[in-house]
Amino acid sequence: MARAGTLIESVMKDIESKIASRAYLPNTRLPSVRAQAKAMQVSISTVVEAYDRLVAEGCIVSRPGAGFYTSGPIAPLNLTHIGPKVAREIDPLWVSRESLESTAGSLMPGCGWLPSEWFYQSGIKRALRNLARTHSLDLTEYAPPKGSQAFRHFLQRRMLSHNIEVTAEQIMLTESGTHAIDLIGRFLLSPGDTVLVDDPCYFNFHALLKAHRVKIIGIPYTPTGPDLERFAQAIKDYNPRLYLTNSGVHNPTGAHLAPHVAHKLLTLAQASELVIVEDDIFADLETTRSPRLAALDGLDQVIEIGSFSKTVSASVRCGYIAAKQDWIEQLVDLKIATSFSGNRLDSEIVLQTLTDSGYRKHMEKLHHWLAKQRQSTTKKLINLGIQPWIQPKDGMFLWCQLPTGKNATQLARDCLSKGVVLAPGNVFSQSQNAHDYLRFNVAQCTDEKIFEVLAWALDQQI
Amino acid sequence: MARAGTLIESVMKDIESKIASRAYLPNTRLPSVRAQAKAMQVSISTVVEAYDRLVAEGCIVSRPGAGFYTSGPIAPLNLTHIGPKVAREIDPLWVSRESLESTAGSLMPGCGWLPSEWFYQSGIKRALRNLARTHSLDLTEYAPPKGSQAFRHFLQRRMLSHNIEVTAEQIMLTESGTHAIDLIGRFLLSPGDTVLVDDPCYFNFHALLKAHRVKIIGIPYTPTGPDLERFAQAIKDYNPRLYLTNSGVHNPTGAHLAPHVAHKLLTLAQASELVIVEDDIFADLETTRSPRLAALDGLDQVIEIGSFSKTVSASVRCGYIAAKQDWIEQLVDLKIATSFSGNRLDSEIVLQTLTDSGYRKHMEKLHHWLAKQRQSTTKKLINLGIQPWIQPKDGMFLWCQLPTGKNATQLARDCLSKGVVLAPGNVFSQSQNAHDYLRFNVAQCTDEKIFEVLAWALDQQI
């Protein structure tokens, strides 16, 4: 009897969590008792009892002759209820909050951005002073719907120089790179659609896609791009709507897409009407240019997005979307509806910083610092038995494997207790098979204490 | 035969448009042939033929034994397909784009913001100079998840002074007021839910709610708040999830919520678990404080949002949400997932401007200017036979009725041809019964040419 009680309760819990996560939408018919029993591998009487109790609780309603339905207004969307439960330390949202909340004292070798002093601060300050001097509409007025025309022309020239055919009218500014992807998701996706991501990929892609209530399929990432065989198979199996990826410097691996992989990938996508969102946020960190899907495709099925939070500032935010004309027009409507206008002051500060004569020089210095830091960090990690997956040519990331038997989540937990915030591999992995990987940001690895704490934490695990 | 062809095509068009607007979600079962025929009041054979042709076009699929289903990945979300078709000039998105795109030369008595020179520019400039001088993390680093602590404490004190019990932890900064409402919508709403708005209300509420694919019900607005009888009836009829309103200065009418209406409204909402989103964007334009639902309710079922785009700057953007603690924590997760971080520089500029010693003085001047402009604009409009619905105590808006027989949409069209952008009443009206109303912004009515063009355009209509 106790066991049956437990079983009924677990069926109830499962249904309640499906309602909370909106796997079951409000005012929607639940599976029949028979189907539910089969799906949950319990008896029909267990489901009957569970449904009855849920009706009594007001969680679902019985419509005579029509079956059981979820109730009207439902519990709020709870992101942590969506998708498989994971340990707190490898919940992407937890890692984001931990990094964003961290105080001045903590060390953050796992975080995804540059230290404050590595940014081109003098350029930003010059832009602020310029803006404080002029009587400018940029201080008070709403932005035009697509954002600053001067900025869009700048982006057009930049893309043309990368062989991406685009007009300024095909470009819309957004509040950030994440905002750009979010708008595209709202435009192209419906709940239940399938989206492909790289495995591993930037961890916030998982949280973002969860908010769109889509099915996420991870494609194993190789040193030259996604595994093409698995990519082709996933297209066949899931008929996905979107593929979301970084070209250029890949996050978290630091890999570059190889030209032959880019071509093959695009051919597969074009045969299936799969839309590709290419996130080019690390463009200015590249020293040698790798291929862009947007260039090969001509912005037909590929949408390019980007931002400047990795190179100009994470505080002064501005992103963009470049896509085919009729999509951009509809994205403008969606942007107006959901945020009315864009951030005019920020886009002006970012533009002035990017076009400041010192920006290019600063970038050259930054490339040099990063190369030096990649080298020295690699050496220190290898000394601890932590092995980079590849030796990236560019960027700030090292994707590293721990010595045999060591667990990254446990390591992250131990290091956090000593004020060191790590990024354990499974945060980046849809398949959760990166338990012995970590992402390091070499720009955040200048403090020797990081390696001391790492050595100590590795010793904690036998 | 020709007629049957037309009928079949119109059934097909109707279904296609429901798919485009996602009234029919992808991979979802269509109504049975019999149900569809009944709903559309056509014969069964017409629906059979329409379904067959849609299958041939690949728009829907037939699953033997299970009926007809919408296809997999569908056409992108098209906001202009959602809801009833309206004339271009009274499509809220069209009005927004027209106002946001308008060039320096055009006059905008219909737009919703202050002229650039009415803002506290010297305060903004001082903040920019301050920030340019200091080595500050505000220039380069991501914001903490809830946004600047100093700003949240400022907002807490402000709300406490308005008798709203709140802690700083119950406040989260957003990119703008619209962004605040959008996040709440994503948190609380599912497609198909019902949302109440005032009729008339701020026109972008319609566009925003369309993007959430909810059913919008307009409640007639009276000079003391929403019509309570209709409000109670709507709760009974639709079991709505949300009510979205302005307290303080109501947009577009300039009315104030009366205390007894506020109390009754809240009682009705509390009896039905209706959540109220109170948009307090015009707070600083009030000279005498009207009641706040958030104060009466104690932030239990009421969520307060606000921004500073009407009083500090529309270019430097910052909004906020104040709600009960567990909702805020979940809204933080949703914010991280969909925009990763907030705009740190802007929130610092807005905070410095708000706390600048000159801000209060500037507001007093602004109140004075607005009072003067309300008076003079009212006089000029009455001279043209255009009658304010009420004489508002505060704010920039006058909600005005045209002389008998005149049409606001036609007037807007004619005035636009002369470079004057109006805001015709039906943009604000869910029931579309404000065809002879216009919203005027007195702060944008200083140029005599506006009244000349209005007189001319009124004469065009016999």
Side-chain angles (χ1 to χ4, degrees):
Chain A
M1 195 61 209
R3 221 189 131 260
T6 317
L7 211 54
I8 290 163
E9 278 159 26
S10 98
V11 169
M12 287 171 70
K13 254 192 206 142
D14 186 79
I15 291 166
E16 282 167 334
S17 116
K18 280 187 176 133
I19 291 173
S21 71
R22 307 204 184 171
Y24 291 158
L25 288 171
N27 291 315
T28 303
R29 195 170 176 273
L30 288 171
S32 69
V33 168
R34 190 175 300 273
Q36 191 73 276
K38 202 176 162 197
M40 293 191 171
Q41 299 194 288
V42 295
S43 72
I44 287 180
S45 64
T46 302
V47 175
V48 168
E49 179 66 23
Y51 276 18
D52 278 350
R53 289 200 205 165
L54 288 168
V55 169
E57 287 179 6
C59 182
I60 66 174
V61 289
S62 160
R63 298 197 189 154
F68 292 87
Y69 281 71
T70 52
S71 311
I74 53 145
L77 176 67
N78 186 332
L79 280 184
T80 57
H81 281 179
I82 302 176
K85 269 262 176 262
V86 293
R88 235 185 113 212
E89 290 82 356
I90 51 164
D91 171 355
L93 285 168
W94 182 83
V95 171
S96 300
R97 286 183 81 153
E98 203 58 43
S99 312
L100 292 172
E101 258 161 9
S102 68
T103 44
S106 54
L107 297 164
M108 304 200 291
C111 91
W113 51 91
L114 293 178
S116 194
E117 59 277 15
W118 290 45
F119 282 108
Y120 182 39
Q121 296 213 12
S122 56
I124 298 170
K125 288 181 179 181
R126 190 171 306 129
L128 289 174
R129 285 195 303 271
N130 276 344
L131 282 159
R133 261 197 299 273
T134 49
H135 172 80
S136 164
L137 297 179
D138 292 321
L139 297 187
T140 51
E141 293 276 293
Y142 283 112
K146 286 184 184 170
S148 150
Q149 202 178 27
F151 205 144
R152 291 186 288 113
H153 278 125
F154 169 83
L155 289 170
Q156 181 197 18
R157 284 192 301 275
R158 194 173 120 130
M159 281 190 245
L160 289 174
S161 79
H162 298 151
N163 300 312
I164 301 171
E165 286 291 332
V166 68
T167 67
E169 287 306 307
Q170 280 178 270
I171 301 170
M172 175 178 89
L173 299 191
T174 62
E175 307 289 289
S176 65
T178 309
H179 182 224
I181 300 170
D182 188 46
L183 277 174
I184 293 165
R186 294 174 88 164
F187 175 55
L188 288 175
L189 299 175
S190 290
D193 281 352
T194 298
V195 175
L196 307 183
V197 296
D198 300 319
D199 190 347
C201 72
Y202 170 43
F203 57 78
N204 201 52
F205 286 171
H206 297 137
L208 176 59
L209 292 171
K210 267 189 186 182
H212 288 271
R213 293 176 242 162
V214 293
K215 186 189 184 113
I216 310 170
I217 301 292
I219 306 294
Y221 208 73
T222 80
T224 54
D227 180 317
L228 287 171
E229 216 166 288
R230 299 283 288 273
F231 193 85
Q233 192 60 45
I235 289 181
K236 216 177 283 171
D237 292 349
Y238 301 103
N239 191 18
R241 181 69 174 134
L242 266 191
Y243 168 50
L244 179 54
T245 190
N246 299 123
S247 294
V249 190
H250 180 257
N251 184 358
T253 64
H256 283 64
L257 189 65
H260 69 279
V261 178
H263 168 69
K264 192 80 185 288
L265 188 66
L266 191 61
T267 308
L268 287 167
Q270 285 168 341
S272 76
E273 298 186 343
L274 175 74
V275 175
I276 298 177
V277 176
E278 183 170 57
D279 177 0
D280 206 10
I281 191 169
F282 297 103
D284 281 359
L285 295 184
E286 267 192 324
T287 52
T288 49
R289 188 87 183 157
S290 59
R292 290 296 184 271
L293 294 165
L296 293 179
D297 171 69
L299 290 176
D300 184 29
Q301 274 175 245
V302 176
I303 301 176
E304 173 157 304
I305 71 117
S307 97
F308 306 92
S309 56
K310 303 302 177 188
T311 42
V312 174
S313 165
S315 160
V316 189
R317 304 189 88 206
C318 182
Y320 66 88
I321 302 176
K324 58 179 161 190
Q325 192 68 58
D326 62 320
W327 284 6
I328 284 291
E329 298 308 324
Q330 293 181 66
L331 284 163
V332 168
D333 281 351
L334 196 56
K335 184 174 91 162
I336 292 177
T338 57
S339 47
F340 196 64
S341 173
N343 198 305
R344 182 165 178 160
L345 182 79
D346 280 27
S347 71
E348 188 55 31
I349 295 171
V350 173
L351 179 62
Q352 288 195 17
T353 308
L354 286 168
T355 53
D356 180 297
S357 61
Y359 179 73
R360 203 197 177 97
K361 250 185 216 154
H362 179 83
M363 278 301 121
E364 279 166 19
K365 263 195 295 187
L366 181 61
H367 293 156
H368 180 70
W369 292 339
L370 283 171
K372 237 178 86 182
Q373 266 304 111
R374 275 198 307 275
Q375 209 171 14
S376 69
T377 307
T378 300
K379 213 178 277 173
K380 289 172 195 168
L381 289 171
I382 288 176
N383 280 342
L384 296 170
I386 300 175
Q387 198 62 44
W389 182 64
I390 58 164
Q391 191 57 48
K393 283 189 299 182
D394 293 312
M396 58 182 103
F397 298 129
L398 289 178
W399 179 241
C400 297
Q401 190 168 23
L402 290 176
T404 315
K406 307 288 183 184
N407 179 285
T409 304
Q410 183 58 45
L411 200 76
R413 201 176 293 136
D414 290 338
C415 287
L416 190 64
S417 74
K418 303 275 180 194
V420 174
V421 183
L422 295 180
N426 274 350
V427 188
F428 304 88
S429 170
Q430 179 62 17
S431 64
Q432 297 286 298
N433 69 2
H435 59 86
D436 55 345
Y437 277 84
L438 289 168
R439 184 190 72 181
F440 285 94
N441 176 347
V442 300
Q444 299 276 6
C445 285
T446 50
D447 194 316
E448 287 305 322
K449 195 193 155 195
I450 290 168
F451 302 95
E452 289 161 20
V453 171
L454 273 172
W456 165 83
L458 282 169
D459 276 350
Q460 302 301 300
Q461 296 184 35
I462 305 111
Chain B
M1 194 61 210
R3 221 190 130 262
T6 317
L7 211 55
I8 291 163
E9 277 158 26
S10 97
V11 170
M12 289 172 69
K13 254 192 206 142
D14 187 80
I15 292 165
E16 283 166 333
S17 116
K18 280 187 175 134
I19 292 173
S21 71
R22 306 201 183 173
Y24 293 157
L25 289 171
N27 289 317
T28 303
R29 194 168 177 273
L30 287 172
S32 70
V33 168
R34 191 175 302 272
Q36 191 72 276
K38 201 173 162 198
M40 293 192 173
Q41 300 194 287
V42 296
S43 72
I44 288 181
S45 65
T46 302
V47 176
V48 168
E49 180 65 22
Y51 276 18
D52 279 350
R53 289 201 205 164
L54 288 168
V55 170
E57 286 178 8
C59 182
I60 66 175
V61 289
S62 159
R63 297 195 189 155
F68 292 87
Y69 282 72
T70 51
S71 311
I74 53 144
L77 177 67
N78 186 332
L79 281 184
T80 56
H81 280 179
I82 302 175
K85 268 263 175 263
V86 291
R88 234 184 115 215
E89 290 80 359
I90 52 165
D91 172 356
L93 286 168
W94 182 85
V95 171
S96 300
R97 286 183 80 154
E98 203 58 44
S99 312
L100 294 171
E101 258 161 8
S102 68
T103 43
S106 53
L107 297 164
M108 304 200 291
C111 91
W113 52 91
L114 293 178
S116 194
E117 58 277 15
W118 291 44
F119 283 109
Y120 183 38
Q121 294 214 15
S122 57
I124 299 171
K125 288 180 179 182
R126 190 171 305 129
L128 289 174
R129 285 195 303 271
N130 276 345
L131 283 159
R133 261 197 299 271
T134 49
H135 173 80
S136 164
L137 297 179
D138 293 320
L139 297 187
T140 51
E141 293 275 295
Y142 283 111
K146 286 186 186 169
S148 150
Q149 203 177 27
F151 205 144
R152 291 186 288 112
H153 278 125
F154 169 82
L155 288 171
Q156 182 197 16
R157 284 192 300 276
R158 195 172 118 128
M159 280 189 247
L160 289 175
S161 79
H162 297 152
N163 300 312
I164 301 171
E165 285 292 332
V166 67
T167 67
E169 287 306 307
Q170 280 178 272
I171 302 170
M172 174 178 90
L173 300 191
T174 62
E175 307 289 290
S176 65
T178 309
H179 181 226
I181 300 170
D182 188 46
L183 278 174
I184 293 165
R186 293 174 86 163
F187 175 55
L188 288 175
L189 299 175
S190 290
D193 280 353
T194 298
V195 175
L196 307 184
V197 296
D198 300 319
D199 191 348
C201 71
Y202 170 43
F203 58 79
N204 200 54
F205 286 171
H206 298 137
L208 176 59
L209 291 170
K210 267 189 186 183
H212 288 271
R213 293 177 244 163
V214 294
K215 185 186 185 114
I216 309 170
I217 301 292
I219 306 294
Y221 207 74
T222 81
T224 54
D227 181 316
L228 287 171
E229 216 166 289
R230 298 284 288 273
F231 193 84
Q233 193 59 45
I235 289 181
K236 214 176 284 173
D237 292 348
Y238 302 104
N239 191 17
R241 182 70 173 130
L242 266 192
Y243 168 50
L244 179 54
T245 190
N246 299 122
S247 296
V249 190
H250 180 257
N251 184 358
T253 64
H256 284 64
L257 189 65
H260 69 279
V261 179
H263 168 68
K264 193 79 186 289
L265 188 67
L266 191 61
T267 309
L268 287 167
Q270 285 169 340
S272 77
E273 299 186 344
L274 175 73
V275 175
I276 298 177
V277 176
E278 182 170 56
D279 177 0
D280 205 10
I281 190 169
F282 297 103
D284 281 358
L285 294 185
E286 267 191 324
T287 51
T288 49
R289 189 85 182 158
S290 58
R292 290 296 185 271
L293 295 165
L296 294 180
D297 171 70
L299 289 176
D300 183 30
Q301 272 175 246
V302 176
I303 302 175
E304 172 156 303
I305 71 118
S307 97
F308 306 91
S309 56
K310 303 301 178 188
T311 42
V312 174
S313 165
S315 160
V316 189
R317 303 188 91 206
C318 182
Y320 67 88
I321 302 176
K324 58 179 160 190
Q325 192 67 57
D326 63 320
W327 284 5
I328 284 292
E329 298 308 324
Q330 294 181 66
L331 284 163
V332 168
D333 281 352
L334 195 56
K335 184 175 91 162
I336 292 176
T338 57
S339 47
F340 195 63
S341 173
N343 199 306
R344 181 165 179 161
L345 182 78
D346 280 26
S347 71
E348 188 54 32
I349 295 170
V350 172
L351 178 63
Q352 289 195 15
T353 307
L354 285 169
T355 54
D356 180 295
S357 60
Y359 179 73
R360 202 197 178 95
K361 250 185 217 154
H362 179 82
M363 278 300 122
E364 280 165 20
K365 260 195 297 186
L366 182 60
H367 293 155
H368 180 70
W369 293 340
L370 283 171
K372 236 179 85 181
Q373 267 303 112
R374 274 198 307 274
Q375 208 170 15
S376 69
T377 306
T378 301
K379 213 178 280 175
K380 288 174 196 168
L381 289 171
I382 289 176
N383 279 343
L384 294 171
I386 301 175
Q387 197 63 44
W389 183 64
I390 57 164
Q391 191 57 48
K393 284 190 298 184
D394 293 313
M396 61 183 101
F397 299 130
L398 289 178
W399 179 241
C400 297
Q401 190 169 22
L402 291 176
T404 316
K406 307 288 181 181
N407 179 284
T409 306
Q410 183 57 45
L411 199 76
R413 200 177 294 136
D414 289 338
C415 287
L416 189 64
S417 74
K418 304 276 181 193
V420 174
V421 183
L422 295 179
N426 274 349
V427 188
F428 304 88
S429 170
Q430 179 62 15
S431 64
Q432 297 286 296
N433 68 3
H435 58 87
D436 55 344
Y437 278 84
L438 289 169
R439 183 189 72 183
F440 285 93
N441 176 348
V442 300
Q444 298 276 4
C445 284
T446 50
D447 194 316
E448 287 304 323
K449 195 193 154 194
I450 290 167
F451 302 94
E452 289 161 22
V453 170
L454 273 172
W456 165 83
L458 283 168
D459 276 349
Q460 301 300 300
Q461 295 184 35
I462 307 108

